């Protein structure tokens, strides 16, 4: 996707990594119009959080369902159909060819976009070897990115450090969605490979996933607004450079 075609406000995706629907709803209310795109992952989804997908849609928001599906093709396809009926905008699957193919066929012409997770960012070469893979992380990421592109997958989840190399590999047509974002001066938490919002946009990320720097901020709305301003500024600079 051409970054300039995405409304700037939609490029920040706030991860609702919260234990229950009540706290998630309170955070959504608190963030108000500062955030238009939310991510629901394991923690909230398994605590009833998928009920928020329809509610958020009704409020004009978009939802990224981050369940990283991986199962036999038929099971993946049926799961994708159910999530599509809820009105999700993005859904993650692991970047196995069978899984990606099933998800893409099941989403059909709908507005649901399938994002592939190439290699989990917590894995290093030793973890891959222990899991029986012969390729190092960098080569497996590229191999799976190529396969995702060839299968018509809509986007990739990647670390901001991988964004510029993946952009060259897959071209402008795929969305790059990057977690591991930390505004300058903030604690990295357990994220090892981090970038500021501005640097991630400059590296070619289309969407930035941000959790704790917003939801654990003393003033979440102000924190989200500051990131939105940084994204908008970086996007303008990027457009300026292209002209
Ligand atoms: O709190 P923080 O900003 O680190 O949250 C990042 C979000 O992105 C979390 O919901 C996490 O599960 C998700 N994520 C990640 N790294 C990946 C894929 C997803 O941090 N490779």
């Amino acid at each position: 996707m051409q970054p300039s075609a995405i409304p700037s406000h939609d490029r920040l995706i706030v991860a609702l990594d919260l234990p229950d629907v009540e706290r998630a709803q309170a955070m959504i209310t608190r963030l108000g119009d500062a955030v238009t795109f939310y991510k629901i992952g394991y923690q909230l989804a398994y605590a009833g959080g998928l009920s928020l997908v329809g509610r958020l849609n009704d409020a004009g928001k978009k939802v990224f369902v981050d369940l990283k599906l991986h199962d036999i093709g038929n099971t993946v396809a049926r799961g994708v159909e159910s999530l599509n009926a809820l009105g999700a905008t993005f859904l993650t699957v692991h970047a196995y060819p069978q899984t990606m193919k099933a998800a893409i066929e099941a989403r059909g012409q709908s507005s649901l976009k399938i994002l592939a997770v190439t290699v989990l960012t917590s894995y290093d070469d030793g973890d891959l070897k222990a899991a029986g893979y012969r390729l190092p992380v960098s080569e497996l990421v590229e191999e799976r990115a190529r396969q995702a592109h060839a299968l018509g997958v809509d986007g990739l989840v990647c670390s901001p450090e991988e964004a510029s190399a993946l952009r060259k590999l897959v071209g402008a047509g795929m969305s790059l969605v990057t977690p591991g974002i930390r505004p300058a001066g903030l604690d990295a938490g357990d994220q090892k490979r981090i970038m500021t919002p501005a640097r991630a946009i400059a590296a070619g990320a289309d969407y930035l996933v941000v959790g704790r720097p917003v939801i654990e901020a003393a003033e979440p709305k102000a924190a989200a607004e500051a990131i939105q301003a940084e994204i908008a500024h970086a996007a303008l600079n990027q457009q300026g450079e292209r002209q």
Side-chain angles (χ1 to χ4, degrees):
M1 151 119 21
Q2 290 290 344
S4 55
I6 309 166
S8 176
H9 244 68
D10 286 355
R11 297 179 73 171
L12 169 63
I13 302 179
V14 170
L16 288 170
D17 293 331
L18 292 161
D20 55 57
V21 174
E22 290 66 32
R23 267 175 271 198
Q25 184 58 63
M27 181 56 64
I28 292 161
T29 304
R30 224 171 145 186
L31 290 169
D33 57 10
V35 176
T36 51
F37 213 147
Y38 285 100
K39 180 171 92 71
I40 297 177
Y42 288 178
Q43 184 185 22
L44 186 58
Y46 297 142
L50 292 178
S51 62
L52 284 170
V53 179
R55 261 197 258 169
L56 282 165
N57 267 313
D58 292 346
K61 311 284 185 189
K62 296 186 170 72
V63 188
F64 169 4
V65 177
D66 188 16
L67 290 180
K68 300 185 178 72
L69 303 189
H70 183 208
D71 207 313
I72 62 168
N74 181 60
T75 303
V76 169
R78 301 290 87 78
V80 168
E81 284 166 9
S82 294
L83 284 163
N84 203 2
L86 292 180
T89 296
F90 285 164
L91 168 67
T92 40
V93 302
H94 282 283
Y96 286 78
Q98 260 192 26
T99 302
M100 294 190 285
K101 187 168 181 287
I104 289 300
E105 281 172 10
R107 72 112 161 84
Q109 299 300 313
S110 71
S111 57
L112 176 67
K113 303 290 178 209
I114 303 296
L115 306 179
V117 177
T118 53
V119 176
L120 291 170
T121 49
S122 59
Y123 276 38
D124 61 19
D125 294 347
D127 293 309
L128 282 184
K129 199 170 173 208
Y133 291 88
R134 64 187 163 78
L135 295 179
V137 171
S138 56
E139 286 179 39
L140 190 56
V141 166
E142 289 194 6
E143 175 69 16
R144 289 183 166 174
R146 271 193 212 98
Q147 290 171 334
H149 184 252
L151 287 165
V153 168
D154 303 294
L156 298 171
V157 179
C158 62
S159 93
E161 288 179 353
E162 292 162 352
S164 73
L166 286 177
R167 177 61 75 207
K168 284 190 196 105
L169 196 75
V170 302
M174 287 179 92
S175 295
L176 297 183
V177 180
T178 61
I181 302 297
R182 290 293 176 271
L186 271 201
D187 181 20
D190 56 358
Q191 297 280 12
K192 294 197 179 93
R193 292 174 290 155
I194 55 168
M195 265 194 202
T196 63
R199 284 195 54 216
I201 295 286
D206 295 302
Y207 296 89
L208 312 185
V209 176
V210 183
R212 289 161 290 181
V214 170
I215 66 169
E216 291 181 2
E219 297 291 342
K221 188 168 187 190
E225 282 167 346
I227 297 172
Q228 290 286 22
E230 192 175 333
I231 291 173
H233 189 250
L236 271 180
N237 280 345
Q238 204 181 31
Q239 276 169 26
E241 277 165 23
R242 286 211 181 110
Q243 281 159 8

